Amino acid sequence: MARRLEFDFYNRDVLEVAPELVGKTLVRSFNDGLIQRFIITEVEAYRGAEDLACHASKGRTPRTEVMFRSGGLVYVYLIYGMYWMLNIVTGETNNPQAVLIRGLEDCYGPGRLTKKLMIGKDFYGENLMESQRLWVEENNNKYNINRAPRIGVDYAGEFWSSKPWRFFTNNIK
DNA sequence: CGCAAGATTGGC
DNA sequence: CCAATCTTGCGT
């Protein structure tokens, strides 16, 4: 079994953490003992209060509060009344950042993968360094990383929506 | 307190 | 192309 990623991995700038999360293994453990592992294939970085595409640009609210904490926690929110978005908080305290998990091997789409992994509201604030039901493991295989603009953030204006803060690999399906 | 919009998806 | 579906943040 591979090593679980710890605090020092997450507590860095999101632009360092996000591309390194691609190729790592997301692990979901269920009550009945079933454990599922998926390689992360696509992510997006949301970086600080100044990033108008980042929810934290709205300030510290009940929803965005967890992003203001230190790295390694989970930020989940409901979009379009239907889909839960899974994010991993990064960076130091009071520097609101998060990585949106957009794709896993065999499962593309941020709304689809949370449905598949049964991740919802009750994962808000989950500690990936201690959780018994969700964490990320090291993966020593190397994958090439591609960069592209983030998806669905035109509302933030071209300056922010054009930043190449989506990271993905095509080594894996 | 009302309301418009949303880090999406699947169906027509 | 567009409806679904409901939380959130902001304006009144």
Side-chain angles (χ1 to χ4, degrees):
Chain A
M1 188 179 297
R3 183 183 71 88
R4 180 192 290 234
L5 297 184
E6 291 299 340
F7 183 74
D8 289 346
F9 177 87
Y10 299 110
N11 201 49
R12 296 177 293 153
D13 190 279
V14 70
L15 292 180
E16 290 182 50
V17 178
E20 290 184 30
L21 273 173
V22 176
K24 297 290 190 294
T25 307
L26 184 67
V27 188
R28 176 77 167 95
S29 177
F30 296 89
N31 287 334
D32 63 5
L34 173 66
I35 296 182
Q36 295 185 317
R37 287 182 165 81
F38 301 95
I39 295 174
I40 297 170
T41 57
E42 179 167 331
V43 303
E44 280 177 358
Y46 288 84
R47 188 169 185 263
E50 61 171 16
D51 176 5
L52 296 183
C54 179
H55 291 163
S57 65
K58 302 288 186 184
R60 192 165 188 152
T61 67
R63 178 170 70 154
T64 64
E65 198 278 331
V66 72
M67 275 196 281
F68 286 78
R69 298 195 236 165
S70 54
L73 307 179
V74 168
Y75 167 45
V76 287
Y77 66 91
L78 185 67
I79 190 68
Y80 299 114
M82 279 178 259
Y83 305 107
W84 292 99
M85 301 288 104
L86 171 64
N87 297 255
I88 296 176
V89 175
T90 71
E92 300 178 353
T93 303
N94 292 323
N95 187 354
Q97 307 182 329
V99 177
L100 170 67
I101 308 300
R102 291 195 67 92
L104 304 174
E105 52 177 328
D106 294 330
C107 183
Y108 179 74
R112 289 182 186 150
L113 67 91
T114 52
K115 184 175 182 181
K116 178 172 181 170
L117 296 182
M118 293 193 277
I119 290 171
K121 187 186 187 73
D122 62 322
F123 277 79
Y124 186 92
E126 189 84 358
N127 185 332
L128 296 175
M129 298 154 288
E130 300 176 352
S131 175
Q132 297 302 304
R133 53 183 187 163
L134 186 69
W135 64 91
V136 184
E137 287 177 356
E138 190 58 75
N139 179 351
N140 291 321
N141 297 322
K142 295 300 177 189
Y143 304 93
N144 71 299
I145 307 298
N146 303 290
R147 300 174 60 120
R150 296 174 291 183
I151 293 175
V153 294
D154 287 351
Y155 63 84
E158 190 184 345
F159 180 80
W160 293 106
S161 66
S162 65
K163 291 203 174 294
W165 289 354
R166 178 160 57 100
F167 304 92
F168 60 99
T169 181
N170 47 24
N171 286 24
I172 315 169
K173 175 184 177 183

